[in-house]
Amino acid sequence: MPEKTYLSPLSPAFWIASVKEFKHLRTLVIAALLSAISIAMGGLFIPVSESLRVYFSFIPRAILGAVCGPVVGLVAGAVIDLTEFFLFPTGFSFFPGYTLNTMLGVFFYGLFLYRQKPNLPRLAGARICIAYLINVGLGSLWNAILLGKAFWFYAAKSLVKNTVMIPIEVIILLVLFKALEPVLQRSGLMPSAKAGSRR
């Protein structure tokens, strides 16, 4: 488990380590547990207004990406979305674009947080990518394909919602990781500040 930190996901060692997480039984158990928590939390939210709700499933997904890495995160994201579709059908037929969104969401958490200290710039970077590239960009594209209205109709509403939610979600994650960091480090699930680093 993470005895080394990696300065950049451009490092080949970063991706080798991420792929090797599939060999660790503990990683797979943690990924399965966090995936189950994400599914269970999918229906929990705090209503802020008629069109704005604060959901919490992003929390276990962020921890999953940070602990298990981006490659395991891709697979876990697929499992999360497919399980939610079959357990909690919404009346819509299956569409793989939404599965891709969930996969990429966990992937970006891993990209920014795996083998790294979960500080404000990294958490903000992950949430900004997820909000604008996935939720606004891809999400609006899928809605336009499925529901028939123009891309910009969905993008405008999604842009406002996600812009409002970014600071809220970043603060939640920052507080959470601050509290969990000592436990994760003692468990060997996250590198300590004294751990060596390499590119």
Side-chain angles (χ1 to χ4, degrees), residues 1-6 21 26 66-67 114-116 184-185 187-192 195:
M1 300 300 266
E3 71 283 351
K4 295 287 186 180
T5 58
Y6 297 91
E21 292 291 352
R26 183 164 70 154
V67 171
Y114 179 60
R115 302 269 180 122
Q116 299 285 356
L184 294 175
Q185 289 176 347
S187 302
L189 298 174
M190 183 175 292
S192 66

Side-chain angles (χ1 to χ4, degrees), residues 92-159:
F92 292 98
S93 59
F94 173 74
F95 183 69
Y98 295 126
T99 303
L100 177 63
N101 282 13
T102 306
M103 293 171 66
L104 289 176
V106 187
F107 173 83
F108 272 114
Y109 283 124
L111 195 66
F112 279 86
L113 304 175
Y114 179 60
R115 302 269 180 122
Q116 299 285 356
K117 182 177 177 62
N119 55 24
L120 179 59
R122 292 194 183 97
L123 291 170
R127 282 310 308 166
I128 287 171
C129 286
I130 293 169
Y132 294 132
L133 296 180
I134 301 174
N135 296 347
V136 177
L138 290 178
S140 299
L141 176 61
W142 308 146
N143 286 339
I145 292 173
L146 290 174
L147 303 177
K149 293 186 179 180
F151 169 86
W152 294 110
F153 172 82
Y154 301 105
K157 295 193 298 183
S158 183
L159 183 64

